[in-house]
Amino acid sequence: MERDTVVKEVVEALKIFSRDIRTQIDEMGSQLRAEIQDTANQLRAEIQDTANQLRAEMQDTANQLRAEMQQFRAEVNERFDRLEQKFAGLRVELTETQETVHFLASKTIQHEKKLHHLAK
C-alpha cells in the first residue's frame, strides 16, 4: 500500500508540475504574441512613416517640376513673342518694299511712255 501511496503522490506531483509547466508555456505564448504584436505595430508605423516621407518627396518633386515647366513655358513664350515682333517688323518692311517696287515700276512705265512718245 505504501507503494501505491508513493505512486499516487508522484503522479499528483507530476500533475501539479505539468500544470505549472502548462501555465508557464501559456504565459510565454501570451508574451510571445504580445511581442509579435508590438513588433508588427512598430513595423506598420515605420512603413507608414516611410510612405509619408515618399509622398512628401514625390510632392516636392512634382512641385519643382511644375515650377520648372512654368519657367520653361515663360521663356518659350517670351522667345516666340520676340520672333513674332521680328516677323511683324519684317512684314512691314516687305510691304513697304513692295509698295516702293510698285511705285518705281509705275514710274518706270511712265518714263518709258514719255521716252517712247518723245522718240516718235
Side-chain angles (χ1 to χ4, degrees):
M1 186 82 165
E2 200 171 291
R3 191 172 173 197
D4 286 342
T5 305
V6 170
V7 170
K8 284 182 182 178
E9 287 179 6
V10 168
V11 168
E12 194 59 36
L14 286 173
K15 285 181 181 178
I16 292 171
F17 180 72
S18 172
R19 272 184 282 193
D20 288 345
I21 295 285
R22 282 190 192 117
T23 302
Q24 290 176 2
I25 289 173
D26 288 344
E27 287 174 2
M28 287 173 59
S30 295
Q31 288 174 350
L32 184 59
R33 278 190 285 281
E35 287 179 20
I36 289 171
Q37 187 62 42
D38 288 346
T39 303
N41 290 339
Q42 288 174 352
L43 286 173
R44 282 188 194 98
E46 288 178 21
I47 289 170
Q48 187 63 39
D49 288 346
T50 303
N52 290 339
Q53 287 174 350
L54 285 173
R55 282 188 196 98
E57 287 178 20
M58 287 171 52
Q59 187 63 44
D60 289 346
T61 302
N63 290 340
Q64 183 179 2
L65 286 173
R66 282 188 203 104
E68 288 175 8
M69 282 296 291
Q70 287 176 347
Q71 181 180 358
F72 178 73
R73 282 184 183 147
E75 289 174 12
V76 168
N77 286 339
E78 181 183 333
R79 288 181 179 182
F80 275 125
D81 289 344
R82 284 189 297 208
L83 281 174
E84 285 176 356
Q85 289 173 355
K86 263 187 183 176
F87 285 131
L90 289 174
R91 282 188 196 109
V92 168
E93 287 180 24
L94 180 59
T95 302
E96 289 173 355
T97 303
Q98 285 176 336
E99 289 173 357
T100 303
V101 168
H102 288 298
F103 174 75
L104 291 174
S106 69
K107 285 297 180 182
T108 302
I109 291 172
Q110 284 177 3
H111 289 297
E112 284 179 0
K113 284 181 182 178
K114 282 184 183 179
L115 286 173
H116 186 59
H117 181 44
L118 289 173
K120 284 189 179 184

